[in-house]
Amino acid sequence: MRTIKIFDTTLRDGEQSAGVNLNFSEKLEIAKQLERLNVDIIEAGFPAASKGDFASVEQIANTIRSASVTGLARAVKSDIDAAWESLKGGAEPRLHTFLATSPIHRKYKLKKSKEEVIATAVEAVEYASKMFPIIQWSAEDASRTELPFLAEIIEKVIKAGATIINIPDTVGYGTPAEYGRIFSYLREHVPSINKVHLSAHCHDDLGMAIANSLAAVENGATQVEGTINGIGERAGNAALEEFAVALHIRKDFYGASTAMNLQEISRTSSLVSKLTGMTVPANKAVVGKNAFAHESGIHQDGVLKNKSTYEIISPELVGFHSNAMVLGKHSGKHAFKNRLQELGLTVPDEEIPALFTIFKDLADRKKEMTDDDLAAIVLEEKLSKDQRFYELMQIQVQYGTNQIPTATVTLSGKQNEMLQEAATGAGSIEALYNTLEKCITGEVHLLDYRIQSVGAGRDALAQVYVSLQYEGQESSGRGLAQDVLEASAKAYLNAVNRVIYLNESKTAVLNV
């Protein structure tokens, strides 16, 4: 039984999803959960992209000890230097460097000949090998590259010091037969191929990312890359939870497995969904809420008689459990803290009292407190506590079918001053957001607004996600409350506060 290494790029390729904007604390929280999921490699970001990316990659590398942390770098010495400085404190620092190889990229993007592309790739790998013990080299758009040229450049970068060769289907163009054939061809035509590991990185533009990843495994790949929930640019990446469960369920066919802790899949999926604002579709394989639901009478009858008739994956395998009430308004601080630890939420002792007060306040008003509720309120408080320049103090909205919706808002401002405004709108949310815009210094443009419930029932918490443009920067925000209007106001302010925090952080760096 072969063990396939899992390379998680949720924090790099996944964060490139349109509308996703993770801050430092959120990235670190996801990295810790990926460590609990037991992925082999975590791609923490692109260190040379910005000071913020550099800092988050460095912190993640210094924090995570049971997974190898890597960062992306172009075939440029300054990128490689930035990657080393951010990753050198990691348990197993490695570099992921790339260069496009396909004819269309060589001609229109790089404007380089085949010989120039080879020279650039070799120079970058040789330079990186002076620092990094592990170097992964990626042939961007490999699936549209001439196979003889692909084999030639791979042989050269292996001799230059590359230890892992990644074959990305960058635009999701390949089919399983074609993509698998690339790996077979390379194993036959690259003399030094046995000195390296082969990795698959597939995008889902044609809906074949998982099929292509599995085809790669059939043809010799020993590492597969992807993201949690399949998030990523355009149609996304291969969903790692689907890949790992497919290998587990069909190990009889593939003869391979992963080291992933499958019991952590549900929790990881939920965390990534909450922090990115990308809702998991109900019919999503493995982690969708309907993945284990049976409505057909024939199916229900079969499952009641024997689950294996229609259920090839048990909910327990991937960490789904009944969400019965485990805590309530009479629960004590000790039970609250223990439950947080069971849910994998790391909270310092000094922060427990404040979170417990918020929990008790909500438990007084809500009939049932589920694990989802608990995770949502803790994450909301924990990850936004340092970014509250504008804070909601009070809202009042008047609405009636025969009157103009009017909102009144009181905020605590950036200098702790009290701000109060009122405005109208075509609906309650518009009136509220028009009022908030009057309170805030600078122009705000709302780009997207989404709402979902946390749990079920009429007293369920409302989780609102917004995307907006403030001071020329696009930002996203989350808000959580029992009341939809309150959650909407919090999400709006959270997005504005993120921009202020980012700008003040940049100013602080420049002043040092």
Side-chain angles (χ1 to χ4, degrees):
M1 184 76 68
R2 292 187 298 146
T3 299
I4 307 300
K5 288 189 177 295
I6 294 295
F7 179 112
D8 183 280
T9 184
T10 302
L11 295 174
R12 201 275 301 169
D13 214 335
E15 203 207 3
Q16 291 173 202
S17 304
V20 172
N21 180 22
L22 297 171
N23 63 30
F24 172 79
S25 300
E26 290 163 343
K27 287 181 180 180
L28 188 58
E29 200 67 36
I30 289 174
K32 290 176 181 176
Q33 181 56 37
L34 291 174
E35 186 175 33
R36 285 189 283 268
L37 183 62
N38 205 35
V39 302
D40 299 284
I41 302 106
I42 298 172
E43 187 167 44
F46 191 171
S50 68
K51 288 184 176 7
D53 248 30
F54 180 95
S56 61
V57 172
E58 182 178 44
Q59 183 62 44
I60 290 168
N62 291 339
T63 302
I64 301 301
R65 306 325 287 173
S66 62
S68 179
V69 177
T70 188
L72 188 68
R74 295 168 298 178
V76 176
K77 288 183 178 180
S78 58
D79 277 24
I80 296 168
D81 288 338
W84 173 248
E85 288 304 314
S86 63
L87 292 164
K88 63 185 180 182
E92 187 185 58
R94 68 174 65 203
L95 177 72
H96 179 197
T97 185
F98 70 98
L99 190 63
T101 55
S102 67
I104 193 168
H105 279 251
R106 295 195 310 261
K107 180 178 180 180
Y108 293 105
K109 188 178 80 172
L110 299 179
K111 302 188 188 316
K112 290 179 184 286
S113 66
K114 289 181 179 179
E115 293 72 24
E116 288 173 317
V117 170
I118 291 174
T120 302
V122 167
E123 183 182 0
V125 172
E126 285 178 342
Y127 181 72
S129 65
K130 298 173 184 176
M131 296 171 271
F132 287 92
I134 303 172
I135 299 169
Q136 173 169 315
W137 183 80
S138 290
E140 186 184 8
D141 206 24
S143 58
R144 294 193 293 174
T145 300
E146 315 95 310
L147 290 179
F149 175 63
L150 189 61
E152 181 184 359
I153 192 171
I154 286 173
E155 175 66 16
K156 297 283 178 62
V157 296
I158 292 173
K159 288 182 175 179
T163 52
I164 301 161
I165 299 296
N166 182 34
I167 309 299
D169 184 24
T170 303
V171 293
Y173 181 77
T175 67
E178 291 171 327
Y179 191 62
R181 198 177 303 126
I182 295 172
F183 287 81
S184 294
Y185 181 92
L186 295 176
R187 290 171 65 200
E188 293 173 7
H189 294 85
V190 177
S192 303
I193 201 70
N194 291 329
K195 297 178 181 178
V196 298
H197 289 282
L198 286 175
S199 183
H201 179 112
C202 300
H203 282 260
D204 208 33
D205 297 72
L206 295 177
M208 292 188 279
I210 290 296
N212 285 341
S213 299
L214 291 168
V217 169
E218 288 183 82
N219 288 276
T222 54
Q223 177 177 294
V224 165
E225 308 184 10
T227 60
I228 301 302
N229 298 337
I231 66 174
E233 287 194 273
R234 305 183 313 279
N237 294 51
L240 289 176
E241 68 280 358
E242 294 179 20
F243 174 79
V245 171
L247 282 191
H248 176 81
I249 296 297
R250 293 309 313 272
K251 52 181 172 281
D252 61 315
F253 181 81
Y254 292 106
S257 63
T258 73
M260 272 176 59
N261 181 358
L262 302 185
Q263 291 278 310
E264 291 291 333
I265 284 177
S266 172
R267 186 179 300 167
T268 311
S269 170
S270 177
L271 179 68
V272 170
S273 176
K274 282 185 175 70
L275 297 187
T276 60
M278 299 190 73
T279 306
V280 176
N283 65 335
K284 165 89 166 60
V286 178
V287 291
K289 70 176 183 179
N290 290 350
F292 307 102
H294 305 277
E295 186 170 335
S296 162
I298 295 172
H299 286 209
Q300 290 172 344
D301 180 64
V303 169
L304 288 171
K305 290 174 179 174
N306 188 313
K307 285 187 176 182
S308 62
T309 53
Y310 290 102
E311 199 171 271
I312 63 169
I313 309 168
S314 72
E316 293 75 21
L317 174 69
V318 294
F320 279 103
H321 303 289
S322 62
N323 232 343
M325 184 175 67
V326 291
L327 291 174
K329 65 181 181 180
H330 299 298
S331 299
K333 194 180 297 183
H334 183 69
F336 174 77
K337 182 179 177 181
N338 281 348
R339 191 62 192 138
L340 294 185
Q341 291 173 342
E342 289 170 9
L343 291 173
L345 296 166
T346 51
V347 180
D349 288 343
E350 61 271 18
E351 294 180 17
I352 292 290
L355 288 171
F356 184 65
T357 300
I358 295 167
F359 160 76
K360 293 286 278 188
D361 179 60
L362 183 59
D364 278 335
R365 293 180 278 121
K366 201 174 184 299
K367 291 180 182 178
E368 293 186 348
M369 288 295 293
T370 66
D371 287 348
D372 279 346
D373 294 328
L374 198 58
I377 62 172
V378 169
L379 287 171
E380 191 69 24
E381 291 300 314
K382 182 181 175 186
L383 299 180
S384 64
K385 65 184 177 65
D386 295 327
Q387 299 180 21
R388 291 178 179 166
F389 301 95
Y390 289 105
E391 190 166 2
L392 183 67
M393 307 303 293
Q394 185 179 348
I395 62 170
Q396 183 173 333
V397 179
Q398 292 179 317
Y399 173 80
T401 54
N402 295 318
Q403 69 181 63
I404 298 173
T406 305
T408 303
V409 171
T410 304
L411 300 182
S412 170
K414 291 165 65 176
Q415 309 300 326
N416 293 321
E417 74 277 23
M418 299 305 291
L419 306 171
Q420 190 170 55
E421 292 286 355
T424 61
S428 299
I429 300 297
E430 186 181 12
L432 178 61
Y433 282 4
N434 285 344
T435 308
L436 288 170
E437 188 171 359
K438 290 176 70 175
C439 294
I440 291 166
T441 304
E443 197 171 2
V444 183
H445 295 288
L446 184 67
L447 304 175
D448 190 22
Y449 173 91
R450 282 174 284 142
I451 184 170
Q452 68 181 86
S453 67
V454 177
R458 64 179 63 186
D459 63 349
L461 293 173
Q463 181 115 45
V464 172
Y465 298 92
V466 301
S467 175
L468 53 77
Q469 191 173 59
Y470 175 57
E471 294 188 348
Q473 298 178 58
E474 193 169 322
S475 177
S476 60
R478 297 186 314 276
L480 183 77
Q482 269 192 298
D483 182 80
V484 171
L485 294 172
E486 183 182 348
S488 300
K490 286 181 174 179
Y492 187 100
L493 293 174
N494 180 242
V496 169
N497 286 337
R498 281 173 185 252
V499 175
I500 298 170
Y501 179 78
L502 183 63
N503 289 343
E504 292 203 354
S505 297
K506 287 179 180 176
T507 302
V509 170
L510 291 172
N511 289 336
V512 170

